[in-house]
Amino acid sequence: MKISSSFDSGSIEVVSIEDPQNIRLRLRADNAADFRQWFHFRLHDAGGKPVRMVFENAADAAYPEGWPDYRCVAYYDRKNWFRVSGTCYENGELVVEHTPERDIIYYAYFEPYSHERHLELISWAEMSPYATVQNLGTSVEGRDLDVVVVGRPVAGRKPVWIIARQHPGESMAEWFIEGLLKRLLDSAEPVARKIREHAVLYIVPNMNPDGAVRGNLRTNAAGRNLNREWRTPDPLMSPEVHLVRQAMEETGCELFLDIHGDESLPYVFLATADEVPGFTTEMAAQQARFIEGLLAVSPDFQTEHGYVNGRFGEEMLTLASKWVAHRFGCVSLTLEMPFKDNANMPDGQTGWNGARSRRLGGAMLNPILSHVAAEG
Ligand SMILES: [Zn+2]
């Protein structure tokens, strides 16, 4: 048997593989920071043989509370991911027991979104008559940082910014963007057409391409957590935030969405801007209307479970959506999707996955339309 991970978003450390019933693995840290949780690797030559894989340092993961009720994802064909029911967290170790049906199988923390697919998404969007692609610059390691611009920046149209994957291991965020863009650039879709009449959308499908390719959980190639860089982004260490923030200053912003995944909570929820200094009653009313609009179109979304205000303390204005709410005084939200499943609508076969993230991305157009079509 052999385990390998030298590919796009691959990540694992192999301690020993001699005994298929006791394969010892370790979660690898981000390349320049001490965060670990993402894994993605190939197991070869195990077809028909029961294997037991032990992730020895699961308790040292960034979010150990992400392991209870978690199930590992796997695929044979690099398309159809399924959950491995024999996953459990015991004595600080994550244990995956499985009998692969084929000789080659891939295991991952969540359904990956490859860099190749990212590049295809950008080119597909550029082919649309409704979109252009602007290059804002490059990441730490020289990868393109692109923004898809939908609609023409004509006076009176509201600038909307949507960014995803500041945390590269949260691949559901880019699946969400794919679903949003597919509906937004569909010429037969009336909601998209109305949005394009009222707004210009600036969409960054992947804020952290280096981290994504490297298989990092949380940081860019320089070890920076991009969602703690918004107050004072460093042009060298966090150019990804520096460049997007600079572009936002030029366009202005009247609605901001930052798309994420949450390791622990098995729900889809929004983190709001209520606690941001300067948050007005008008912002509160607009925010409430946006949330009602999403509730009306997506049964996957809920407002009962989420973060408690005060969670970020002093760091608050270093976070993208809080900084934007403060700087531009607009509705500014962080969307969180589960790594596990939506406990209100569980799916035993897939858990939360790319397809469900895509549907949610499409549904998001309805509250966006209500927001940009409103007076003022
Ligand atoms: Zn995140």
Side-chain angles (χ1 to χ4, degrees):
M1 275 184 209
K2 181 187 174 189
I3 285 177
S4 55
S5 61
S6 289
F7 45 77
D8 182 0
S9 82
S11 177
I12 198 66
E13 289 172 7
V14 180
V15 178
S16 73
I17 193 175
E18 284 70 43
D19 178 3
Q21 276 302 297
N22 190 24
I23 295 172
R24 310 295 295 184
L25 305 169
R26 293 180 71 78
L27 299 165
R28 199 211 66 198
D30 286 6
N31 72 289
D34 196 29
F35 294 107
R36 52 177 64 76
Q37 193 130 9
W38 175 263
F39 59 90
H40 182 196
F41 58 89
R42 188 180 95 153
L43 175 64
H44 189 211
D45 208 17
K49 300 168 200 157
V51 295
R52 184 172 187 274
M53 298 177 286
V54 181
F55 297 73
E56 294 180 339
N57 61 345
D60 299 329
Y63 300 95
E65 64 278 19
W67 300 128
D69 302 322
Y70 166 78
R71 287 171 301 142
C72 176
V73 304
Y75 67 6
Y76 301 108
D77 59 0
R78 297 185 58 80
K79 276 200 196 82
N80 297 292
W81 289 91
F82 57 91
R83 295 274 174 167
V84 178
S85 56
T87 307
C88 70
Y89 183 57
E90 53 188 26
N91 306 318
E93 296 179 326
L94 181 73
V95 179
V96 177
E97 292 182 304
H98 189 226
T99 304
E101 291 172 14
R102 313 293 313 174
D103 266 346
I104 289 180
I105 183 167
Y106 288 80
Y107 295 100
Y109 181 39
F110 190 83
E111 184 173 350
Y113 194 101
S114 72
H115 191 61
E116 195 61 29
R117 193 175 182 110
H118 163 76
L119 296 175
E120 285 168 9
L121 180 67
I122 296 287
S123 289
W124 171 82
E126 200 280 329
M127 300 276 287
S128 162
Y130 311 119
T132 56
V133 173
Q134 285 177 14
N135 182 253
L136 298 178
T138 51
S139 64
V140 170
E141 293 187 307
R143 292 190 175 87
D144 286 316
L145 193 70
D146 292 325
V147 54
V148 178
V149 184
V150 180
R152 272 185 220 97
V154 176
R157 291 188 180 171
K158 294 177 179 171
V160 173
W161 278 84
I162 304 170
I163 67 168
R165 243 181 147 182
Q166 292 199 82
H167 296 143
E170 295 162 10
S171 49
M172 61 285 278
E174 196 160 3
W175 287 111
F176 172 99
I177 294 289
E178 185 179 301
L180 184 143
L181 275 173
K182 293 281 170 180
R183 190 175 174 208
L184 186 60
L185 300 181
D186 176 354
S187 58
E189 173 54 61
V191 171
R193 194 164 149 184
K194 277 287 172 198
I195 289 174
R196 297 195 304 266
E197 285 175 12
H198 289 283
V200 189
L201 296 94
Y202 300 88
I203 300 166
V204 184
N206 188 347
M207 285 287 292
N208 195 339
D210 296 348
V213 171
R214 283 178 168 275
N216 285 356
L217 176 76
R218 215 162 159 71
T219 57
N220 72 354
R224 294 293 176 92
N225 175 352
L226 297 184
N227 204 25
R228 297 294 183 276
E229 294 285 310
W230 284 75
R231 188 149 54 185
T232 47
D234 184 324
L236 292 177
M237 301 298 276
S238 47
E240 301 89 352
V241 174
H242 172 76
L243 293 164
V244 169
R245 217 187 76 149
Q246 203 171 44
M248 287 179 79
E249 291 285 2
E250 285 170 23
T251 63
C253 186
E254 295 198 30
L255 172 65
F256 180 75
L257 300 172
D258 184 14
I259 314 303
H260 287 255
D262 187 90
E263 288 79 356
S264 310
L265 291 174
Y267 299 101
V268 175
F269 59 97
L270 285 166
T272 60
D274 300 64
E275 56 190 319
V276 169
F279 189 75
T280 63
T281 49
E282 196 197 333
M283 287 163 78
Q286 289 181 355
Q287 179 182 277
R289 191 176 59 206
F290 191 93
I291 291 168
E292 285 301 318
L294 185 57
L295 276 172
V297 290
S298 178
D300 268 324
F301 174 63
Q302 56 79 56
T303 55
E304 194 184 342
H305 305 275
Y307 296 149
V308 188
N309 280 352
R311 168 187 172 103
F312 299 108
E314 283 294 296
E315 293 191 305
M316 188 176 63
L317 291 181
T318 66
L319 275 75
S321 67
K322 314 294 188 202
W323 181 83
V324 169
H326 187 248
R327 170 69 186 82
F328 294 100
C330 65
V331 172
S332 183
L333 298 160
T334 301
L335 177 77
E336 297 282 353
M337 290 173 277
F339 273 91
K340 296 173 181 173
D341 202 345
N342 172 3
N344 290 334
M345 301 184 77
D347 184 316
Q349 176 72 13
T350 65
W352 190 257
N353 68 354
R356 298 176 75 183
S357 308
R358 271 206 308 258
R359 298 304 185 282
L360 184 67
M364 192 62 94
L365 291 195
N366 293 67
I368 290 174
L369 174 59
S370 304
H371 184 84
V372 298
E375 294 298 312

